[in-house]
Amino acid sequence: MKTTSSPVERIIVALDFPDSVGAERLLKQLEGIPCYMKVGMELFYAAGPQFVLKLKEAGYNVFLDLKLHDIPNTVKGGSASVTRLGVDMFNVHAAGGRAMMEAAREGVEQAMSGRPGAAKPLLIGVTHLTSTSQQTLNDEIGIAGPIDEAVLRYAALAKQSGLDGVVASPLEVTRIKERCGESFATVTPGIRPAGSAVGDQSRIMTPQEAFAQGTDYIVIGRPVTAAADPRQALEQIVESITG
Ligand code: C5P
């Protein structure tokens, strides 16, 4: 995909908070920085669609990271509801298979027919969680073979099923673009500025390295949200990729 947005608009801050109070505090601290905002299950299950609408009213692009994974008919309905909410990006698990991903696409199209003039959300497939290690994949989940092959398989399936891109580790970006084309978007978590705590992520890169790989969006949570000064942390990241 050819992203025309400025670098800061391609940084997605993960609002992983247990309620709207913590998230709103962070929004205040980051006020005026036009980054993308990601609402995941922790915040959405607590603060609901109202919080997403609030972010939209404040002018943010919103990635609703609920990782839908269910039977095709249910995912179609869920995708339609999420589209009507007006989010800019949302995701489904590629492991749900082609029929499920095609149903998600149908749900988006169905909802868009009732929203003339509105921008269509980017529909993104989750390949493997960036916390999944080779051992987890092979020994616990029981999928044989190297992790990068599984990621590429999921990415190709997502592309064939009509999705706009995938969430993947920054380590996979080059090969995903080679396999699925430049215009197939990559959204990469597992981002850690030099010197920050790795936490439970296992396949990581710095923001500069991830963009150098050609990723379209980076997702960054704790290095900003858990920083003593979140604004300074985000500004340093922006500087590291623009300066
Ligand atoms: O705090 P941290 O930077 O690790 O946060 C990463 C964010 O990206 C979390 O909200 C996590 O749920 C999300 N994510 C991920 N790996 C994926 C998909 C989403 O880490 N494959």
Side-chain angles (χ1 to χ4, degrees):
M1 113 173 224
K2 274 289 147 264
T3 339
T4 48
S5 336
S6 66
V8 64
E9 292 171 73
R10 297 164 61 195
I11 299 175
I12 304 177
V13 174
L15 295 172
D16 292 326
F17 291 98
D19 54 42
S20 60
V21 177
E24 274 166 13
R25 189 181 312 124
L26 185 79
L27 290 181
K28 240 191 172 52
Q29 288 165 324
L30 301 184
E31 207 170 336
I33 303 179
C35 55
Y36 227 104
M37 291 294 180
K38 180 172 92 67
V39 176
M41 62 174 82
E42 184 181 10
L43 182 58
F44 191 77
Y45 294 161
Q50 289 314 320
F51 192 82
V52 172
L53 294 173
K54 218 173 204 174
L55 287 172
K56 288 307 300 171
E57 274 161 28
Y60 287 109
N61 280 327
V62 177
F63 171 18
L64 189 56
D65 179 19
L66 295 182
K67 302 185 178 73
L68 308 186
H69 191 173
D70 208 316
I71 59 170
N73 188 56
T74 302
V75 168
K76 179 179 173 183
S79 299
S81 295
V82 160
T83 302
R84 281 193 291 268
L85 195 52
V87 304
D88 303 277
M89 181 189 293
F90 75 98
N91 55 6
V92 301
H93 268 287
R98 184 197 281 258
M100 193 206 79
M101 287 191 276
E102 287 176 348
R105 171 53 70 204
E106 283 169 29
V108 170
E109 302 304 332
Q110 189 184 67
M112 287 310 294
S113 64
R115 313 184 73 241
K120 200 186 281 194
L122 286 176
L123 174 53
I124 301 294
V126 178
T127 56
H128 274 296
L129 301 178
T130 41
S131 55
T132 312
S133 67
Q134 184 70 55
Q135 192 203 356
T136 311
L137 182 75
N138 299 149
D139 302 345
E140 295 177 17
I141 307 176
I143 296 177
I147 217 166
D148 48 355
E149 273 176 24
V151 169
L152 278 182
R153 209 165 48 232
Y154 279 133
L157 185 63
K159 164 103 178 158
Q160 287 158 18
S161 309
L163 268 58
D164 299 306
V166 283
V167 183
S169 156
L171 296 158
E172 318 293 354
V173 169
T174 309
R175 272 176 320 146
I176 289 171
K177 295 279 187 184
E178 274 168 18
R179 178 88 166 256
C180 302
E182 266 305 308
S183 63
F184 193 65
T186 53
V187 179
T188 53
I191 302 295
R192 290 291 177 268
S196 62
V198 171
D200 56 356
Q201 295 285 11
S202 67
R203 308 169 75 233
I204 57 167
M205 270 194 197
T206 66
Q208 308 93 293
E209 287 167 343
F211 281 121
Q213 294 296 308
T215 197
D216 297 283
Y217 298 93
I218 62 168
V219 177
I220 186 147
R222 288 161 290 183
V224 171
T225 57
D229 183 343
R231 186 178 191 92
Q232 189 189 45
L234 183 55
E235 282 174 346
Q236 274 171 1
I237 292 165
V238 174
E239 207 178 297
S240 75
I241 57 173
T242 54

